[in-house]
Amino acid sequence: MLAYAIRRILIAIPTLIGITLITFLLVRVTGDPARFVLGDTAPPSAIEAFRAEHGLDKPLPVQFVNYLAGVARGDLGTSLRYQQPVLTLFAERLPATIQLGLSAYILALLVGVSVGVYSALRAGSPLDKVIRVSVLFGQAVPGFYLGLVLIIVVAVGLGWLPTGGRGGLSHLVLPTITLASYLVAFSVRFTRSVMLDVLHHDYIRTARAKGVAEGAVIRRHALRNALIPLVTVLALQSSVVFSGAVVTETVFSWPGIGRFALQAISTRDFPVIQGTVLILTAFVVLVNLIVDLAYAYLDPRIRYS
Amino acid sequence: MSALSESLRAGREPAVQSVWARRFGVFWRSWETRISTLLLLVMIGVALVPTSVWPDTAFDSNLTLRHREPGLLMGTTDYLFGADALGRDVFFRILMGTKLTLLIAGLATLFATIIGSAAGLCAAYFRGWVDMVVSRLVDIMLAFPILLLVLALVAALGQSVSSVIIVLALSGWAGYARVIRSATLSLVEREFVEAARCTGARSGHILLRHLLPNVASPILVLSTLNLASFILTESSVSFLGLGPQPPAVTWGALIGDGRNYMYDAWWATLFPGLAIILTVLAFNLVGDAMRDAFDPHTRQ
């Protein structure tokens, strides 16, 4: 286990450096950040001053080393728009995104497991067909569109819930449904197929044969084996959730990281673009690493393959 | 087996079915796939219609018709899906938007397929440092929140059709590389590859003539599903206002335009979204059916 863990962690290090390099190049290779921020009509003196102020007048390798050194110290630069450290601005908006993301995950797990298990147990029934069609739609609906439809129908038409902003529980409902739509469809589909697979195993037949009640067979024997892969694949979707958060937070004016990143892109606030993409991607790598390690710990067969 | 023995007993030649006939039989068996295929063919037909053919009501603003209600609700066929904030016909704007929406997703898928398949084939064939580099790059690309990466790159490269295509291709190739690499890994060890090597075939020849045809079916399935996900990503980018700029029209941009007036004129937001859902759904269904068709374990 230790050898496997060390190997996995060693592989993650070049990945993280590669991500830092790509985010660094993201705003440099595609154009001069000074022109990008100040515009084409800016006088040469202003461009020079901007370059000197942000260390852009140095050769690229030097800039990258400086950037890496800054990242290692936790210094991701200063926002051009807010004149505050990127990390501070990021930390202020993080709780809102975590709240939204976790609610989406909880919804996906609850609906995914209950509906997925039902659909597997009643495979072929009319309700199972309805569920499968809904799953197909859930995977085809763009998040922003679902959000807008929910705002028009539930918030404006019926007046049941607020149209946006962050506040009490009522503010959380529509953004959570919007962000979770893909995850819910995904986990229903996944649970259904895993359950269908598990239910054909010998130990399920054995459990039934020895007289275990059907509910206990499902809960204690079948579901338990289906839950581990479900939690794993859901955790591996974190980068999809961040992409979804950009759209969901924008549609619902939710004051989180996704909306913040989009505003930075629109206002050409390059230290913020660089910093948020870097932190989110590094987070995804770490989550995937933890999932891999946990999975290897729980299932010894993985370590040897 | 039973069909074979039956026909032998009856003294007939056993009916030999070609692989492709079997695959098509599996593909075409469900009505969802048939409807989806027809829908996509119609969409492609609409996309091929020259822009000049669409009526002027799709382009010219006419403020007297601002937010005209859909003809659908009033039982008339003119302005079937209503008019937008500038009085333009939403129905024809959706038809017009088909061209760019499909073109962007299609070309980006083509480029992503070429880059990803080449990377996956080379990684599995050459192993060593090539595999090392490709696999790390794939890990890195798959960790990025794709939409964020696409938005940042499009903003930097300029909001044009070509930059959206390039950025989608650059951000979407990694999925192919991973699948094609693992599909190729098991092929590289097979005898026909060794035989080709023994006859003195060069690497390029083995890659293109021996390995590529054997991974063609996963490539085809992935491309179909990928078209669906590129349509979704492009529509998000256009909706957020960072896609190709007007007069370019994509479905996502139509929703983005309609959003500002959605309390007064929901139809300008609702109908373009239905076009996206139906198209993505159709591509997903066709992709799934193709996967079943190429899977030798699927029963006919």
Side-chain angles (χ1 to χ4, degrees):
Chain A
M1 180 65 206
L2 189 67
Y4 176 84
I6 290 172
R7 202 169 73 231
R8 286 291 324 185
I9 292 168
L10 285 181
I11 289 179
I13 292 172
T15 308
L16 284 172
I17 294 177
I19 285 165
T20 320
L21 182 62
I22 290 182
T23 45
F24 168 80
L25 291 175
L26 194 66
V27 284
R28 285 172 176 81
V29 165
T30 51
D32 184 350
R35 289 245 171 252
F36 197 59
V37 173
L38 301 174
D40 287 332
T41 53
S45 58
I47 299 270
E48 286 307 317
F50 184 89
R51 285 197 185 132
E53 189 192 337
H54 295 277
L56 297 167
D57 48 350
K58 299 187 180 70
L60 270 185
V62 176
Q63 285 185 44
F64 183 59
V65 172
N66 287 343
Y67 180 58
L68 261 188
V71 170
R73 285 195 312 269
D75 173 14
L76 292 170
T78 308
S79 160
L80 300 175
R81 185 176 168 207
Y82 297 92
Q83 299 297 326
Q84 282 180 55
V86 172
L87 207 58
T88 313
L89 295 165
F90 188 92
E92 281 169 10
R93 288 158 181 79
L94 188 61
T97 298
I98 290 181
Q99 184 191 19
L100 185 57
L102 280 183
S103 329
Y105 264 120
I106 292 170
L107 185 67
L109 262 181
L110 288 178
V111 178
V113 168
S114 51
V115 176
V117 168
Y118 178 87
S119 165
L121 291 176
R122 301 270 183 282
S125 68
L127 196 54
D128 174 44
K129 290 203 177 100
V130 172
I131 291 168
R132 292 176 70 185
V133 170
S134 319
V135 165
L136 284 168
F137 270 96
Q139 289 178 325
V141 178
F144 62 88
Y145 183 68
L146 179 64
L148 293 179
V149 171
L150 287 174
I151 289 177
I152 295 177
V153 176
V154 182
V156 177
L158 300 170
W160 287 351
L161 291 163
T163 55
R166 189 174 177 222
L169 210 57
S170 62
H171 287 84
L172 193 59
V173 178
L174 296 183
T176 300
I177 295 174
T178 304
L179 183 59
S181 64
Y182 171 83
L183 281 183
V184 168
F186 179 86
S187 60
V188 169
R189 192 176 179 168
F190 190 85
T191 310
R192 183 180 184 276
S193 73
V194 173
M195 280 299 283
L196 279 178
D197 185 52
V198 167
L199 286 172
H200 287 108
H201 278 291
D202 287 343
Y203 66 86
I204 298 293
R205 195 173 46 192
T206 310
R208 282 185 181 143
K210 72 182 185 191
V212 178
E214 187 61 21
V217 172
I218 301 304
R219 261 180 285 112
R220 301 247 308 273
H221 297 265
L223 189 56
R224 213 171 262 195
N225 279 295
L227 263 180
I228 298 175
L230 176 66
V231 172
T232 310
V233 294
L234 279 182
L236 294 178
Q237 301 295 313
S238 59
S239 77
V240 179
V241 173
F242 285 136
S243 286
V246 175
V247 168
T248 308
E249 291 181 357
T250 304
V251 169
F252 288 98
S253 310
W254 187 264
I257 304 292
R259 183 159 156 255
F260 179 53
L262 180 69
Q263 282 167 351
I265 289 170
S266 308
T267 56
R268 313 284 196 247
D269 194 343
F270 80 91
V272 174
I273 302 174
Q274 202 168 264
T276 45
V277 174
L278 178 65
I279 302 176
L280 293 181
T281 314
F283 178 82
V284 172
V285 171
L286 290 179
V287 168
N288 292 2
L289 177 68
I290 293 168
V291 168
D292 274 358
L293 293 180
Y295 211 67
Y297 179 74
L298 292 172
D299 188 346
R301 285 170 300 182
I302 307 248
R303 280 172 247 162
Y304 305 109
S305 61
Chain B
M1 236 11 189
S2 65
L4 179 66
S5 50
E6 241 169 61
S7 53
L8 285 177
R9 211 176 301 133
R12 277 187 279 114
E13 283 276 310
V16 179
Q17 197 185 20
S18 81
V19 180
W20 284 100
R22 193 201 79 89
R23 285 176 181 169
F24 185 77
V26 173
F27 175 77
W28 202 243
R29 65 184 170 182
S30 78
W31 57 268
E32 302 103 11
T33 320
R34 292 180 204 170
I35 293 177
S36 302
T37 311
L38 287 180
L39 179 77
L40 292 178
L41 288 176
V42 170
M43 292 273 184
I44 292 168
V46 170
L48 290 175
V49 172
T51 309
S52 55
V53 170
W54 302 121
D56 292 340
T57 50
F59 306 93
D60 299 339
S61 51
N62 179 353
L63 291 179
T64 56
L65 290 171
R66 181 183 157 89
H67 293 161
R68 184 184 187 276
E69 284 197 23
L72 207 58
L73 297 184
M74 305 190 296
T76 60
T77 52
D78 53 331
Y79 291 84
L80 200 61
F81 293 168
D84 66 6
L86 294 174
R88 295 173 299 192
D89 190 323
V90 173
F91 178 70
F92 283 112
R93 288 188 71 72
I94 293 173
L95 293 188
M96 229 173 86
T98 314
K99 186 194 293 284
L100 213 49
T101 307
L102 293 189
L103 183 80
I104 290 175
L107 282 181
T109 299
L110 180 71
F111 295 140
T113 308
I114 294 172
I115 303 171
S117 309
L121 279 168
C122 288
Y125 181 77
F126 292 112
R127 305 300 304 270
W129 67 269
V130 180
D131 191 15
M132 183 67 191
V133 170
V134 169
S135 297
R136 286 295 75 72
L137 264 179
V138 167
D139 281 351
I140 292 171
M141 292 311 296
L142 292 180
F144 276 108
I146 286 298
L147 183 61
L148 210 51
L149 188 68
V150 170
L151 289 170
L153 277 171
V154 170
L157 284 176
Q159 296 167 229
S160 65
V161 174
S162 55
S163 67
V164 176
I165 293 173
I166 293 170
V167 168
L168 282 177
L170 285 180
S171 62
W173 62 273
Y176 287 90
R178 176 166 281 184
V179 174
I180 301 306
R181 175 183 173 275
S182 63
T184 314
L185 272 180
S186 59
L187 289 173
V188 173
E189 306 296 326
R190 299 260 292 273
E191 288 86 354
F192 69 91
V193 176
E194 201 172 328
R197 263 201 210 110
C198 291
T199 60
R202 281 171 290 113
S203 296
H205 179 85
I206 296 177
L207 280 168
L208 287 178
R209 303 297 294 274
H210 295 275
L211 293 173
L212 181 62
N214 277 294
V215 291
S217 52
I219 290 178
L220 211 59
V221 173
L222 274 179
S223 303
T224 312
L225 298 173
N226 199 65
L227 273 167
S229 81
F230 275 179
I231 290 176
L232 286 176
T233 309
E234 178 275 315
S235 66
S236 297
V237 173
S238 293
F239 166 76
L240 294 171
L242 286 163
Q245 292 303 290
V249 179
T250 68
W251 293 334
L254 289 179
I255 299 177
D257 290 345
R259 182 196 173 194
N260 299 324
Y261 312 98
M262 65 179 186
Y263 302 128
D264 308 316
W266 50 265
W267 44 89
T269 308
L270 185 88
F271 291 114
L274 293 181
I276 296 176
I277 295 174
L278 284 179
T279 312
V280 170
L281 194 62
F283 274 121
N284 279 338
L285 285 169
V286 168
D288 284 348
M290 271 164 51
R291 178 180 295 162
D292 288 346
F294 283 121
D295 184 351
H297 302 297
T298 309
R299 275 167 295 151
Q300 200 174 340

